[in-house]
């Protein structure tokens, strides 16, 4: 769990950090199970690992990394200061945790009627105010996120006719293709999203690959070299057969003419 947590800090890719976070959350669920808290174990797996973390992954996949991160320091010495503060905070945590002794008491009495019942009794009796305040904060945060993400439409929504005129204008001014972009894998040997489409001359269609995948450098090969050579050989063999058949047909026509 500690190794995965450190991997989150030092990972360069957001997807790798999210997967390492899943390891941390699952390890935390195992600790809940060891401490005889099956309800928290299940909630940790279903809610945090299964829902919230998947939301993180979906957001990362949707937004992507369209450009490389800037490593230019806007404040002189901020990297050194950040490392020093991080080390100081880590040292403070180690010293504080090393001097704390934890003794679990009353766990059997609290779970006498079951872990779920004992947890519910605490939430809706002793900690009911904190429980309701947390729920209100979460609802407020959700509403605030929707308000911040909402964009007012200042112009009327364009219809099909207007979109068609825009496409024709883009084609006339910039030569932009009128139709949709080619799908990944068209005329290729694989239909994966990271496999570029092939044009009729065998070259790669750059427009068929997402800019996000191109920025990440995960573009696959359109076709293995051996497959390309095999297809080329088959095409060449087919052309030779057609030429021989056409030549023999012309020769037969000439013989028939002489015979006539």
């Amino acid at each position: 769990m500690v190794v995965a947590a450190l991997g989150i800090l030092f990972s360069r890719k957001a997807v790798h950090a999210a997967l390492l976070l899943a390891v941390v959350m699952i390890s935390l669920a195992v600790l809940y199970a060891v401490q005889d808290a099956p309800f928290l174990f299940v909630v940790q797996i279903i809610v945090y690992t299964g829902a919230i973390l998947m939301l993180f992954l979906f957001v990362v996949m949707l937004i992507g990394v369209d450009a490389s991160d800037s490593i230019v320091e806007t404040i002189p010495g901020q990297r050194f200061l950040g490392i020093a503060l991080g080390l100081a905070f880590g040292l403070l945590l180690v010293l504080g945790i090393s001097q704390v002794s934890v003794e679990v008491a009353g766990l059997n009495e609290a779970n006498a009627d079951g872990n779920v019942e004992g947890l519910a009794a605490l939430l809706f009796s002793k900690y009911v105010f904190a429980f309701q305040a947390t729920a209100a904060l979460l609802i407020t945060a959700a509403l605030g996120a929707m308000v911040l993400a909402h964009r007012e439409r200042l112009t009327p929504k364009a219809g099909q006719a207007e979109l068609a005129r825009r496409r024709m204008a883009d084609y006339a001014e910039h030569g932009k293709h009128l139709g949709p972009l080619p799908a990944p894998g068209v005329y290729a040997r694989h239909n994966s999203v990271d496999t570029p489409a092939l044009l009729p001359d065998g070259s790669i269609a750059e427009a068929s690959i997402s800019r996000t995948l191109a920025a990440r450098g995960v573009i696959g090969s359109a076709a293995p070299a051996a497959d390309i050579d095999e297809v080329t050989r088959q095409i060449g063999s087919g052309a030779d057969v057609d030429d021989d058949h056409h030549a023999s047909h012309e020769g037969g026509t000439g013989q028939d003419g002489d015979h006539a």
Side-chain angles (χ1 to χ4, degrees):
M1 185 175 180
V2 174
V3 172
L6 292 176
I8 297 174
L9 299 178
F10 296 103
S11 177
R12 292 182 176 272
K13 294 187 177 181
V15 176
H16 295 169
L19 294 177
L20 291 173
L21 182 60
V23 176
V24 175
M25 289 184 174
I26 293 174
S27 301
L28 184 60
V30 173
L31 294 181
Y32 286 146
V34 172
Q35 295 296 325
D36 295 331
F39 178 78
L40 293 180
F41 166 76
V42 175
V43 169
Q44 179 70 25
I45 294 293
I46 296 177
V47 177
Y48 288 96
T49 308
I52 297 179
L53 183 60
M54 293 301 106
L55 179 62
F56 291 168
L57 288 176
F58 288 154
V59 171
V60 170
M61 294 168 63
L62 182 63
I63 298 177
V65 181
D66 208 12
S68 59
D69 297 332
S70 176
I71 58 176
V72 178
E73 294 187 8
T74 56
I75 302 177
Q78 65 177 357
R79 182 174 302 180
F80 173 77
L81 182 61
I83 294 175
L85 291 177
L87 292 177
F89 181 69
L91 180 62
L92 179 63
L93 287 179
V94 171
L95 293 177
I97 295 175
S98 62
Q99 298 178 3
V100 174
S101 60
V102 179
E103 295 182 1
V104 180
L107 184 61
N108 294 330
E109 291 79 3
N111 293 332
D113 297 329
N115 177 253
V116 178
E117 290 78 0
L119 185 62
L122 287 176
L123 286 179
F124 296 103
S125 60
K126 184 177 180 180
Y127 300 104
V128 62
F129 178 75
F131 181 75
Q132 296 297 333
T134 303
L137 288 176
L138 291 176
I139 294 175
T140 304
L143 292 176
M146 289 188 290
V147 171
L148 292 175
H150 177 70
R151 293 188 302 174
E152 293 290 343
R153 184 180 296 276
L154 302 178
T155 58
K157 185 177 180 180
Q160 292 293 333
E162 178 63 25
L163 293 176
R165 284 193 293 268
R166 290 181 185 177
R167 286 196 295 266
M168 296 299 298
D170 291 338
Y171 176 74
E173 297 175 3
H174 309 290
K176 185 178 179 180
H177 194 272
L178 290 175
L181 297 177
V186 179
Y187 296 122
R189 301 302 295 271
H190 304 280
N191 59 354
S192 174
V193 293
D194 63 347
T195 303
L198 298 181
L199 297 174
D201 59 353
S203 60
I204 293 177
E206 299 292 342
S208 64
I209 294 299
S210 171
R211 294 184 301 168
T212 301
L213 298 179
R216 293 176 180 175
V218 294
I219 304 301
S221 175
D227 292 348
I228 296 177
D229 295 339
E230 177 64 21
V231 172
T232 304
R233 185 188 63 79
Q234 294 177 2
I235 293 176
S237 301
D240 295 341
V241 171
D242 292 340
D243 292 342
D244 295 340
H245 178 71
H246 183 67
S248 62
H249 180 70
E250 290 181 351
T253 303
Q255 292 175 2
D256 293 341
D258 295 340
H259 179 70

